[in-house]
Amino acid sequence: MVDTRERIRAAALKLFVEQGYRQTSIAAIEAASGLAPRTGGFYRHYSSKDQLAAEICELQIIETSADLGFGGVLPLGDTRAELVLIAKGYAKAFDRQAPLEALIAEVRHLPEIRELEGRVDVELTELLTGWLKGKSYAAALDEAGLTVLMLTVFGGWIFFLAKRGSPAGPPGLDDQFVLDQWADFWSGVLDA
């Protein structure tokens, strides 16, 4: 049986996506989750709609290295294979988050979300810069240099993912072609 918090989260997520975060009232969330509206049922589980949004983001939107599929897996011993693993993790995250784009944009300003994103960004930065430390190209770089390298290596792939399918995106390039070109280039650079 689904517990009440889970029912509230599921109902809220659906309403947030359909109506928008700001337009969704707590009474509507209560009704959609099977609670009697305006009787305080929501507040027995959440102190505010912001707290609920933060929990939804933590469970379903914010992507950790484990969610991306490469936490605890790297290194594999093959730079190109490692790049492909990381890139595919990000591609899956973009696909999972596509239906939630408007919601993400609407709640990103909440302090709880910014703090959560900050923690995850630190975790991913540490993981990816730590991985880069083992590559020949990065041997002489300090922490700032490793961070810039990490942003440079993965920034192009993430930019491509963000723009694919949009009118401003690169026309006629499929994911596999871009992934192959990107992984070939960066594995050559990193292993040089």
Side-chain angles (χ1 to χ4, degrees):
M1 181 170 185
V2 177
D3 77 347
T4 304
R5 276 181 84 90
E6 199 172 316
R7 281 197 340 260
I8 292 170
R9 276 195 314 270
L13 179 59
K14 184 176 186 307
L15 291 170
F16 292 163
V17 168
E18 290 173 355
Q19 300 175 10
Y21 176 75
R22 288 182 192 93
Q23 290 72 33
T24 301
S25 68
I26 289 174
I29 295 168
E30 287 174 323
S33 60
L35 300 172
R38 295 186 171 84
T39 61
F42 175 90
Y43 293 104
R44 283 192 276 285
H45 302 279
Y46 295 96
S47 63
S48 66
K49 189 166 72 166
D50 290 356
Q51 182 198 21
L52 170 60
E55 187 171 300
I56 288 171
C57 285
E58 186 167 12
L59 295 172
Q60 296 188 262
I61 297 173
I62 304 294
E63 305 279 353
T64 66
S65 61
D67 297 327
L68 294 170
F70 53 81
V73 174
L74 298 174
L76 300 172
D78 177 332
T79 300
R80 189 181 190 290
E82 293 163 349
L83 285 163
V84 168
L85 176 69
I86 295 166
K88 286 186 174 186
Y90 276 108
K92 287 178 185 173
F94 268 80
D95 292 343
R96 277 191 302 268
Q97 292 181 5
L100 307 173
E101 269 182 35
L103 172 61
I104 293 166
E106 199 173 4
V107 299
R108 181 160 268 145
H109 74 283
L110 297 173
E112 298 93 333
I113 307 301
R114 291 198 345 234
E115 187 275 327
L116 181 59
E117 279 187 319
R119 273 191 287 125
V120 171
D121 287 348
V122 166
E123 178 225 351
L124 289 172
T125 297
E126 288 174 354
L127 177 83
L128 293 173
T129 57
W131 171 75
L132 285 168
K133 280 181 187 176
K135 304 303 171 190
S136 301
Y137 182 86
L141 297 177
D142 62 8
E143 288 301 314
L146 284 167
T147 300
V148 170
L149 179 60
M150 184 265 307
L151 292 170
T152 305
V153 171
F154 298 105
W157 176 248
I158 291 171
F159 178 81
F160 168 73
L161 293 174
K163 294 297 182 181
R164 67 183 172 169
S166 81
L173 298 177
D174 79 350
D175 289 10
Q176 191 61 51
F177 176 78
V178 174
L179 176 61
D180 287 339
Q181 297 295 310
W182 173 83
D184 288 346
F185 176 81
W186 281 112
S187 62
V189 170
L190 293 172
D191 287 340

